[in-house]
């Protein structure tokens, strides 16, 4: 399944938004990096280290059947959750 996904801190609802052609494969890559402490999103990594794995959930925000719309859909959700705002996004 391809589309837009999020890694959400359950308590605060802050979310990291991303896109993938195969969401399950991308999730495994994020999980590996977060568990190793090497994720490129430093604020997400810091929150993961602070609250632990069980404080986060993986969510599919939108399935996107057409690759043409994948980047535009990702940008929509990044804007929606305002990734630059430390209160709403990572």
């Amino acid at each position: 399944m391809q589309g837009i996904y999020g890694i959400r801190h359950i308590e605060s609802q802050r979310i990291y938004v991303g896109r993938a052609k195969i969401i399950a494969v991308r999730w495994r890559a994020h999980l590996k990096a977060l568990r190793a402490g090497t994720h490129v999103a430093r604020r997400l990594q810091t929150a993961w280290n602070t609250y632990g794995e069980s404080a986060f959930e993986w969510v599919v925000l939108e399935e996107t059947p057409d690759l043409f719309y994948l980047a535009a859909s990702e940008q929509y959700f990044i804007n929606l959750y305002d990734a630059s705002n430390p209160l709403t996004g990572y």
Side-chain angles (χ1 to χ4, degrees):
M1 168 182 33
Q2 65 188 15
I4 311 303
Y5 61 85
I7 302 170
R8 182 170 34 214
H9 180 246
I10 297 166
E11 185 177 327
S12 71
Q13 295 297 297
R14 287 181 65 190
I15 191 165
Y16 172 92
V17 174
R19 69 178 178 202
K21 290 182 185 177
I22 304 173
I23 292 175
V25 170
R26 187 67 181 119
W27 168 237
R28 285 192 295 274
H30 278 293
L31 194 54
K32 182 178 178 183
L34 287 164
R35 287 176 174 167
T38 60
H39 199 278
V40 296
R42 297 311 317 159
R43 289 189 308 201
L44 175 60
Q45 184 67 64
T46 298
W48 183 276
N49 295 345
T50 301
Y51 300 108
E53 185 173 333
S54 64
F56 290 85
E57 64 183 349
W58 176 261
V59 293
V60 175
L61 300 170
E62 179 180 66
E63 290 183 44
T64 309
D66 189 338
L67 280 176
F68 179 77
Y69 295 105
L70 199 57
S73 292
E74 179 189 34
Q75 191 59 55
Y76 168 80
F77 282 102
I78 287 172
N79 293 344
L80 179 67
Y81 293 110
D82 192 4
S84 66
N85 182 338
L87 298 177
T88 59
Y90 290 108

